[in-house]
Amino acid sequence: MNVRVLRIELKRSVAPWAGAVVLTTALAFLYLVDAAWWRGTTAWTAQWTSMALWTRALLGYLWPLAVGLGALQGLRDHRSKVSELLTTTSRPAWHRAATLAGTTAITLASAFALLVLVGAVQVLSNTEYTHLGWLPVSLVGALSLAAGAVLGMGAGRALPSALTPPALTMGAFVFTALMHMSLGTEPNRVSLLSPAVQEVREVLVTLSASVHVGQTIWLLGMAATGFALLVAATPRARLIALTPVLAGAAIALLVLPSDPGRMYVVDEAAAELVCDGPVCVTKTHQARLADLAGPGKEALRLLHGALGGQAPVSVRENTAVLPDGSTPQWSGKTVLFDFDDDIIAAAKGEELTWALIAKGMVPGCTPVGWSSFGNEDFAQTVAVGWVLGDLRSLPGTGSASLRREVDAAARPVWTELKALPRAEQLSRINAMRAAALSCKGDAFDALNGGASR
């Protein structure tokens, strides 16, 4: 298809409108809705992989639109009442189908590329870690829009009715919704047939190579069926045209991993540690090491002064990615932290030292993906106050009423703890740390001498 043919086809088709609808709808979602894609280290403009995954997540809405717009394009000859005329021309049917499908597919893929470009420009200014590992995620996303549109065109040609575009759009919405519902607490092989991906919760997570391959096979089968339906002229040919999409689904399910741990995987290159002495962050966040190194070293010094040989000896960004609902795992010799943790994210300068002390003393046992407020927050406040010699409000505590609640619960325990002999203080602190690090028992109860108040 040369440039002249492409230009003519763009003028007489809905392809430009389809691209505009997909692009403006996606940008409207991203910029007008205050959602998770704007928050924390996984914001869509913060890192390359997060940007690629968030734009793919939008395909739960964009892909059905592409299918419906493709079906509308497939009705063009029927609406113009020239179907029979075109069959009498010497031009091969596959040639006309390639022109029609290629124009729309290129336009939709270009619209998705522009969406990715908008995010890429912002990511460039927000991170020093540049890589190409995100590119397959976006390429599969562009392919899904093109394949969905071609499938819609074929269905529109095979079922020439005004009801076909809305029915296909709704059917595609139902398909992506069912795939999303099938996720449950973990992804599964069937859910990976959806062009969309799950929400981005961990900055170090990406899709595995086998997922890219399986989804590409499925989408190519979908596009092949759409193209075959565009060319098919008899009912028998239309039935045969369904073979590629069915075969693509079957092969994709064989290629796609069955183990959830092999679907969304840790990007090992991004998780590589960059260190300044005993303070380390991942390569993804290497730009933040300079601000963290000083407070991290000061936190280790204060912890050593308070705990002696039992104190942590390093500070490191946590690279463990655990399933939702699982219990965190901690180390007594390393202060593990996450930049998205409430007290870390809210802390700067001296407060960052307090926050790291809190994570070293009471790292938190709330199950992954959950949120809570209570005894752990009180224990952190008491523990940091014990190390510093003065009770402080930790960053990220929240509203003034919450800070008052924490102070009301923590101050009596801190006052009692400081009044005890040094040996008894250490005994309670060690009991608190043992409960906090093992996630067995209540750290705040340990500070009370084992009795709840």
Side-chain angles (χ1 to χ4, degrees):
M1 180 168 56
N2 59 40
V3 176
R4 178 173 171 273
V5 173
L6 176 62
R7 188 167 58 249
I8 293 172
E9 191 63 34
L10 285 173
K11 289 180 179 179
R12 61 195 294 264
S13 72
V14 300
W17 295 105
V21 167
V22 166
L23 180 59
T24 55
T25 301
L27 292 175
F29 264 108
L30 290 170
Y31 283 98
L32 300 181
V33 179
D34 183 18
W37 50 71
W38 283 113
R39 301 191 184 106
T41 60
T42 58
W44 84 288
T45 57
Q47 298 291 340
W48 292 101
T49 302
S50 298
M51 181 270 294
L53 289 172
W54 274 122
T55 50
R56 277 286 298 276
L58 292 179
L59 291 180
Y61 306 98
L62 300 181
W63 185 75
L65 286 177
V67 173
L69 290 167
L72 184 63
Q73 176 74 349
L75 290 176
R76 185 182 66 183
D77 293 347
H78 176 74
R79 292 197 312 269
S80 303
K81 299 180 180 180
V82 295
S83 299
E84 292 184 6
L85 175 64
L86 290 175
T87 59
T88 64
T89 64
S90 59
R91 190 181 181 190
W94 70 265
H95 197 278
R96 294 194 304 273
T99 302
L100 180 67
T103 303
T104 305
I106 291 172
T107 304
L108 285 172
S110 298
F112 191 78
L114 285 174
L115 173 64
V116 172
L117 181 61
V118 171
V121 170
Q122 298 173 85
V123 172
L124 274 173
S125 62
N126 289 333
T127 182
E128 293 181 1
Y129 177 56
T130 303
H131 63 104
L132 295 178
W134 60 274
L135 199 53
V137 179
S138 293
L139 289 176
V140 173
L143 176 61
S144 70
L145 287 177
V150 174
L151 181 66
M153 280 185 267
R157 178 68 62 84
L159 301 170
S161 166
L163 297 177
T164 299
L168 278 179
T169 303
M170 185 56 64
F173 268 120
V174 171
F175 172 76
T176 55
L178 289 175
M179 292 300 99
H180 182 75
M181 290 170 60
S182 73
L183 285 171
T185 57
E186 290 184 340
N188 57 68
R189 186 157 38 188
V190 174
S191 71
L192 293 176
L193 292 178
S194 172
V197 299
Q198 65 183 27
E199 290 188 357
V200 187
R201 299 178 183 176
E202 298 284 349
V203 71
L204 299 177
V205 167
T206 188
L207 289 169
S208 66
S210 57
V211 171
H212 297 318
V213 173
Q215 291 180 334
T216 299
I217 292 171
W218 157 239
L219 293 170
L220 289 176
M222 184 188 299
T225 286
F227 187 79
L229 287 172
L230 277 173
V231 176
T234 65
R236 184 168 180 265
R238 293 186 184 107
L239 283 176
I240 295 174
L242 299 177
T243 303
V245 72
L246 296 176
I251 296 172
L253 289 173
L254 292 175
V255 173
L256 292 169
S258 58
D259 179 8
R262 292 175 52 235
M263 297 176 187
Y264 289 83
V265 297
V266 174
D267 185 337
E268 298 295 340
E272 183 181 336
L273 294 178
V274 179
C275 300
D276 181 344
V279 181
C280 301
V281 299
T282 61
K283 206 168 185 177
T284 300
H285 295 130
Q286 59 189 7
R288 305 179 72 167
L289 180 58
D291 294 332
L292 184 76
K297 293 172 183 177
E298 178 64 10
L300 290 176
R301 185 188 69 80
L302 291 170
L303 285 167
H304 184 269
L307 299 173
Q310 299 297 315
V313 295
S314 63
V315 173
R316 178 168 63 82
E317 183 179 354
N318 194 0
T319 59
V321 177
L322 302 175
D324 279 0
S326 58
T327 302
Q329 300 172 2
W330 306 114
S331 166
K333 289 300 180 181
T334 302
V335 178
L336 295 173
F337 71 94
D338 189 320
F339 282 111
D340 282 331
D341 186 279
D342 289 343
I343 63 173
I344 298 293
K348 295 183 182 299
E350 186 182 28
E351 287 189 342
L352 186 52
T353 298
W354 305 350
L356 290 171
I357 292 173
K359 299 304 292 182
M361 297 291 278
V362 185
C365 291
T366 302
V368 176
W370 297 14
S371 60
S372 67
F373 177 80
N375 280 6
E376 282 188 352
D377 303 271
F378 307 152
Q380 278 185 336
T381 301
V382 173
V384 174
W386 180 79
V387 172
L388 298 176
D390 185 23
L391 203 64
R392 314 281 178 89
S393 291
L394 295 179
T397 303
S399 63
S401 61
L402 281 179
R403 288 195 294 273
R404 286 193 295 270
E405 183 179 347
V406 171
D407 186 76
R411 187 167 294 278
V413 177
W414 178 78
T415 302
E416 180 183 325
L417 181 66
K418 293 294 288 184
L420 294 172
R422 179 67 180 178
E424 179 62 20
Q425 291 182 35
L426 279 174
S427 175
R428 292 195 181 189
I429 289 293
N430 288 333
M432 175 207 71
R433 290 194 76 220
L437 294 172
S438 66
C439 291
K440 295 177 181 177
D442 190 300
F444 194 54
D445 283 350
L447 288 173
N448 282 318
S452 298
R453 292 193 172 212

